Amino acid sequence: MSGIIIVGVDGNETSMKAARTAADLAKALDATLSVVTAYGQDRTEKVEIGNDEWFLSTADEAAKVAKSVAAELGTGGVTTTYSSVQGKPAEALIAEAERVGATMIVVGNVRMQGLGRVLGSVANTVAHNAPCDVHIVRTAD
């Protein structure tokens, strides 16, 4: 098949379950796995300790999460890329899929049951608006 499979991660275990499934799919389909982390507003904060100062940015932190996950999943023989995208998670995944012409988006099923279903979930929004196939992974217990 080949192509690009998008998966969103935020560093928690449920997103990692979806990411590992996405990596397995990418390997089986000879596709590239694009690991995406969404972030809200890009805020930068200056941190000073003694004579040293650092600038921390939400965009940079999101990119670090995506890079770390992509590196971990890439050790299994999957070609990976990573990016951070500003916006709400579902919107960011959809926008990235449109931008790169993805063949599939992989998301977890968190918040698809009970009250979360009423309030909305990333998986529900992606499934109804994605420009490509969507695979929903059972990540919620």
Side-chain angles (χ1 to χ4, degrees):
M1 173 184 169
S2 76
I4 299 172
I5 296 175
I6 303 276
V7 66
V9 298
D10 60 9
N12 70 35
E13 185 52 35
T14 57
S15 73
M16 285 305 297
K17 287 180 183 179
R20 286 189 283 274
T21 297
D24 292 342
L25 286 168
K27 187 171 185 176
L29 298 172
D30 194 28
T32 297
L33 179 63
S34 178
V35 178
V36 177
T37 299
Y39 62 94
Q41 293 179 310
D42 187 13
R43 294 187 296 259
T44 302
E45 185 175 326
K46 180 177 165 182
V47 177
E48 295 181 65
I49 300 176
N51 291 332
D52 295 328
E53 65 182 30
W54 294 273
F55 291 91
L56 303 175
S57 157
T58 53
D60 291 343
E61 292 304 310
K64 285 179 187 176
V65 170
K67 181 179 181 179
S68 172
V69 172
E72 179 182 331
L73 298 174
T75 61
V78 177
T79 301
T80 61
T81 63
Y82 67 91
S83 61
S84 60
V85 179
Q86 187 172 9
K88 294 178 181 178
E91 294 167 2
L93 292 173
I94 292 165
E96 187 68 2
E98 290 171 346
R99 186 183 76 77
V100 301
T103 53
M104 183 185 302
I105 300 174
V106 176
V107 292
N109 72 336
V110 173
R111 293 184 56 187
M112 289 192 72
Q113 303 87 19
L115 183 59
R117 186 180 68 209
V118 174
L119 298 174
S121 71
V122 172
N124 190 43
T125 302
V126 170
H128 285 93
N129 299 290
C132 57
D133 292 342
V134 177
H135 181 82
I136 300 174
V137 179
R138 180 167 170 73
T139 58
D141 292 326

